Amino acid sequence: MSSTSDSELSGHILPELIPQHVAVIMDGNGRWAKSRGLPRLEGHRRGADKARDIVEWASDAGVRQISLYAFSTENWSRPDIEVRGLMALLATLLPKQIPDMNKNGVRLKVLGDVQALPGMARRAVLKACEKTAGNRKIDLVLCLNYGGQQEILAAARKLAISFKQGEISDEALQALSPEDFRNYLWRHDLMPVDLLIRTGGEHRISNFHLWDMAYAELFFDETYWPDYSREDFLRALHVFVSRERRFGKTSEQVTSNKAQSSI
Ligand code: FPP
């Protein structure tokens, strides 16, 4: 899939330094369309093309999971015509993508309360997940009807029910670690997010992947999502690699750990 110029751009990133899970807030579709005198839905259509592109770029770079914020729990409050348009895009575009996903080893996963989506969109998503379940090159995690607070709340409820039913002892509850709690989250089978990219110039998390935001690296790009390019994406990867992830430790500790693990 790579062209020569891509490998030139990403070639000097060691594979072990590439973020395993990249999450993207694809913001700016509406402003992109407005600046061209087009309807907002045309911006989303172009945004959906770009969603397909970034999966290819990420796969070429060696990213293992890419999650895309396609519809948040808060997006239901957009004008009805936009909500219906986004759902129709999902229902029509996803089935067409299945052959390419299979050819390119893309496994579709979904994060969010998919049961609440309109029937056509829900069926298209679930069918695409089923038809691509055997693929292993990269996971495309579509975040649909997703909210980070809702995810944490659902986990807390699940934990409370387990406790009430005696499946968890008092001692186990007291000893519960953040790693243990993560097992109750919708994301329990996903890799932690290493890098969050938000396009469109806003500097917010907007209820995306809240749990993993604890230690994710954040990268904000001014570009409207439909204009986002492979070069923009590779720049974000390079910035990620240049950062020191300390996870609460000192820089000296991190450097000496790295030196020890490379012996
Ligand atoms: C944010 O831009 C974008 C969304 C709320 C929807 C993102 C959805 C897509 C890119 C389509 C995905 C479809 C598939 C099939 C994967 P905005 O509308 O908030 O833009 P604005 O801030 O400029 O108004």
Side-chain angles (χ1 to χ4, degrees):
M1 276 198 254
S2 305
S3 71
T4 316
S5 61
D6 307 330
S7 40
E8 275 166 12
L9 267 163
S10 61
H12 53 284
I13 301 184
L14 292 171
E16 64 267 28
L17 299 181
I18 293 283
Q20 294 217 299
H21 184 168
V22 176
V24 187
I25 302 179
M26 311 177 283
D27 197 13
N29 295 343
R31 281 165 289 161
W32 179 91
K34 193 174 176 193
S35 69
R36 285 165 176 75
L38 297 168
R40 289 180 61 84
L41 262 181
E42 188 51 33
H44 292 315
R45 239 174 251 129
R46 297 292 285 263
D49 291 344
K50 201 58 75 172
R52 193 192 49 217
D53 292 344
I54 200 173
V55 177
E56 183 185 319
W57 307 336
S59 182
D60 286 348
V63 171
R64 300 302 316 283
Q65 291 185 326
I66 180 149
S67 54
L68 303 179
Y69 210 2
F71 196 85
S72 76
T73 42
E74 288 72 31
N75 286 152
W76 293 111
S77 53
R78 291 199 171 200
D80 200 40
I81 186 168
E82 185 166 340
V83 172
R84 278 192 281 122
L86 279 166
M87 293 300 150
L89 259 187
L90 266 178
T92 52
L93 293 186
L94 266 186
K96 290 186 199 153
Q97 289 304 314
I98 294 173
D100 268 359
M101 286 198 272
N102 285 334
K103 194 171 100 204
N104 299 324
V106 180
R107 172 169 62 172
L108 184 72
K109 285 174 165 265
V110 68
L111 187 69
D113 181 8
V114 78
Q115 293 309 327
L117 297 181
M120 290 250 290
R122 186 180 64 243
R123 283 190 292 275
V125 171
L126 295 177
K127 185 168 177 198
C129 287
E130 189 193 312
K131 297 275 179 199
T132 61
N135 299 332
R136 288 294 178 272
K137 175 92 166 69
I138 188 169
D139 289 338
L140 162 57
V141 184
L142 264 194
C143 302
L144 287 166
N145 193 20
Y146 174 78
Q149 292 178 336
Q150 288 78 354
E151 181 185 15
I152 294 171
L153 201 56
R157 266 194 217 106
K158 209 159 141 190
L159 182 62
I161 291 169
S162 290
F163 181 67
K164 200 170 143 196
Q165 292 176 344
E167 290 158 11
I168 296 177
S169 67
D170 217 357
E171 297 72 47
L173 189 65
Q174 293 306 325
L176 200 78
S177 68
E179 291 72 29
D180 298 328
F181 186 77
R182 198 179 187 280
N183 291 324
Y184 289 85
L185 292 165
W186 293 333
R187 69 190 46 253
H188 62 91
D189 62 342
L190 299 181
M191 294 165 176
V193 175
D194 297 304
L195 170 65
L196 171 83
I197 300 171
R198 181 177 189 141
T199 64
E202 310 284 359
H203 297 184
R204 277 193 293 278
I205 305 299
S206 296
N207 206 13
F208 196 32
H209 281 310
L210 288 189
W211 187 265
D212 284 353
M213 285 305 107
Y215 284 107
E217 292 297 324
L218 311 184
F219 185 85
F220 298 99
D221 196 304
E222 297 299 307
T223 313
Y224 292 153
W225 176 246
D227 286 332
Y228 198 65
S229 69
R230 195 192 285 257
E231 287 65 36
D232 295 326
F233 177 65
L234 293 175
R235 188 177 336 110
L237 293 188
H238 278 272
V239 168
F240 172 83
V241 169
S242 74
R243 294 197 185 155
E244 182 179 62
R245 301 185 80 193
R246 293 199 287 274
F247 299 96
K249 295 183 180 162
T250 65
S251 184
E252 289 71 23
Q253 285 174 302
V254 172
T255 316
S256 94
N257 281 356
K258 261 193 204 151
Q260 277 170 12
S261 63
S262 65
I263 293 170

